[in-house]
């Protein structure tokens, strides 16, 4: 029988036995070739049997003159004639069937070995057992089941890539169970369960996938470690934030308490200030009232003093005016006298001047030449000064006049 990973492909057989004693043990005995007996055929007596012990576990089918008579009830039967024969003993037990499939190609052409295991039973009643025996039989059922499982495995494996083969175990069960049951239920067989027990990729590919899986696992572990660290940091940050928030709340409460205390103190200080202000206002008003009364009294006094001073000033002014008037009159008389004297002096001086003028007029002819000589000498001195100070540019009438004075009349 073909093997895969040490698991042999199961083989369902019909086995002949000499006696019906211990049939359960005979059903449980698996052959060296991995054959599993599901139907036992006992040896028939030549003429008759004195007694026949029918087992109570399996389905016991019997015939009369080779015609099926159905189920034979368990118990002890005496005088069992040869025309009656027990044709088949069919197991009621749930049987496990292993069907390993080798070199199943995947969608990406990777050959995969798959081990399939299914459980089934024949029944649930004698009619189903009879249908199994007479319509199908153990040998053909083994062939049919082997073909169905092989076809199901290869079809399913071919539908996926090699990296998805291991994901088929759960998806495979329901589909194959339904498919095989639809084929074998009519023969009195019930498939109870189907599962893939193992799936093996080629050795090198398996090692690479294992390394890849190990690497992915390591990455997942590192990712989880990182996520854990992140969560720890987040938790620490949340704790710190919560602590900061509580600290801030406490500080805020302290500040608010201080603010309320300061507000109370401020109100007390304001009340004190208002009281002091009111006292100061009363005192200031009192002082102002006193000062006002004093001012009014002083004003009256000052008015009286001012009237007295004014009257005294008027008296003094009148006296001064009278005195100034008298003095002015006296000065006026003095001035008049002085003017009269000055007038007489001026008249005398004028008479002296007239006399001098008359004398000068008489002596002017004698002094004429002397005066002309002095004037000419002064003119020549001025021209000498002009000529000694270098070249000068003088035009017009003044230039002509100066030139005439410098040059003799005969040359000019």
């Amino acid at each position: 029988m073909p093997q895969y990973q040490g698991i042999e492909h199961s083989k369902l057989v019909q086995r002949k036995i000499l006696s019906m004693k211990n049939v359960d043990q005979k059903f449980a005995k698996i052959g060296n070739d991995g054959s599993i007996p599901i139907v036992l055929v006992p040896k028939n007596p030549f003429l008759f049997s004195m007694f026949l012990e029918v087992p109570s576990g399996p389905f016991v089918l019997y015939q009369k003159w080779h015609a099926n008579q159905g189920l034979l009830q368990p118990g002890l039967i005496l005088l069992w004639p040869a025309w009656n024969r027990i044709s088949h003993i069919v197991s009621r037990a749930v049987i496990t069937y292993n069907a390993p499939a080798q070199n199943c190609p995947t969608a990406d052409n990777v050959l995969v070995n798959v081990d399939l295991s299914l459980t089934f039973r024949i029944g649930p009643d004698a009619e189903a057992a009879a249908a199994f025996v007479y319509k199908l039989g153990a040998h053909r059922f083994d062939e049919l089941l082997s073909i169905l499982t092989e076809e199901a495995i290869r079809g399913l494996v071919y539908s996926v890539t090699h990296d998805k083969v291991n994901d088929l175990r759960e998806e495979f069960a329901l589909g194959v169970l339904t498919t095989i049951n639809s084929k074998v239920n009519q023969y009195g067989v019930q498939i109870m369960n189907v599962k893939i027990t193992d799936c093996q990729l080629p050795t090198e590919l398996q090692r690479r996938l294992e390394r890849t899986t190990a690497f992915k696992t390591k990455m997942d572990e590192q990712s989880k470690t990182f996520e854990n660290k992140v969560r720890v940091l987040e938790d620490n940050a949340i704790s710190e934030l919560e602590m900061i928030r509580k600290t801030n709340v406490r500080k805020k409460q302290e500040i608010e308490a201080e603010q309320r205390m300061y507000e109370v103190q401020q109100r007390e200080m304001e009340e004190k200030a208002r009281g002091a202000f009111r006292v100061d206002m009363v005192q200031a008003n009192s002082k102002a009232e006193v000062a006002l009364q004093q001012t009014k009294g002083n004003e009256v006094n000052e008015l009286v003093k001012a009237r007295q001073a004014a009257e005294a000033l008027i008296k003094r002014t009148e006296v001064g005016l009278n005195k100034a008037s008298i003095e002015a009159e006296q000065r006026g008389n003095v001035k008049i006298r002085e003017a009269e004297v000055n007038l007489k002096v001026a008249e005398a001086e004028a008479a002296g001047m007239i006399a001098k003028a008359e004398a000068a007029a008489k002596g002017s002819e004698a002094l004429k030449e002397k005066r002309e000589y002095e004037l000419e000498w002064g003119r020549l001195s001025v021209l000498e000064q002009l000529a000694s100070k270098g070249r000068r540019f003088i035009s017009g009438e003044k230039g002509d006049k100066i030139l005439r004075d410098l040059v003799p009349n005969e040359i000019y």
Side-chain angles (χ1 to χ4, degrees), residues 136-147:
L136 188 60
H139 178 69
R140 287 187 293 175
F141 176 63
D142 177 71
E143 292 178 349
L144 176 63
L145 195 57
S146 177
I147 292 171

Side-chain angles (χ1 to χ4, degrees), residues 110-279:
V110 176
L111 299 181
V112 180
N113 297 328
V114 181
D115 182 22
L116 180 140
S117 177
L118 61 83
T119 56
F120 69 92
R121 70 175 181 178
I122 300 171
D125 51 21
E127 287 77 9
F132 174 76
V133 171
Y134 293 111
K135 290 182 179 181
L136 188 60
H139 178 69
R140 287 187 293 175
F141 176 63
D142 177 71
E143 292 178 349
L144 176 63
L145 195 57
S146 177
I147 292 171
L148 291 176
T149 54
E150 184 87 8
E151 180 182 1
I153 292 171
R154 291 185 179 276
L156 184 65
V157 170
Y158 191 72
S159 65
V160 297
T161 56
H162 72 278
D163 55 336
K164 302 293 183 181
V165 171
N166 289 323
D167 299 334
L168 298 177
R169 300 189 179 190
E170 295 182 0
E171 299 177 1
F172 179 77
L174 183 60
V176 174
L177 180 65
T178 303
T179 301
I180 298 178
N181 265 328
S182 65
K183 300 291 180 62
V184 299
N185 279 344
Q186 58 183 326
Y187 301 115
V189 179
Q190 293 179 332
I191 306 298
M192 309 298 293
N193 186 27
V194 177
K195 64 179 180 179
I196 294 177
T197 58
D198 194 11
C199 182
Q200 188 70 32
L201 296 170
T203 305
E204 183 63 25
L205 180 59
Q206 183 68 29
R207 283 198 297 268
R208 292 182 180 180
L209 290 177
E210 287 175 356
R211 289 195 295 269
T212 303
T213 303
F215 182 72
K216 289 181 179 179
T217 303
K218 188 175 180 180
M219 288 184 63
D220 292 338
E221 291 177 355
Q222 292 180 351
S223 178
K224 290 179 181 178
T225 303
F226 175 74
E227 291 176 358
N228 185 41
K229 290 181 179 179
V230 170
R231 283 195 295 270
V232 170
L233 292 175
E234 290 177 351
D235 293 339
N236 293 335
I238 292 171
S239 300
E240 291 178 359
L241 287 175
E242 185 66 20
M243 186 179 298
I244 293 171
R245 188 185 67 80
K246 291 180 179 178
T247 303
N248 290 338
V249 170
R250 185 175 66 255
K251 289 183 178 179
K252 183 179 179 182
Q253 292 174 352
E254 293 175 355
I255 292 172
E256 290 176 350
E258 291 180 358
Q259 183 179 2
R260 288 192 293 270
M261 182 181 68
Y262 291 150
E263 289 176 354
V264 172
Q265 292 177 355
Q266 183 180 3
R267 285 195 293 271
E268 291 178 353
M269 294 173 66
E270 289 177 354
E271 292 297 330
K272 289 181 180 180
R274 290 191 185 96
F277 176 73
R278 286 193 290 270
V279 172

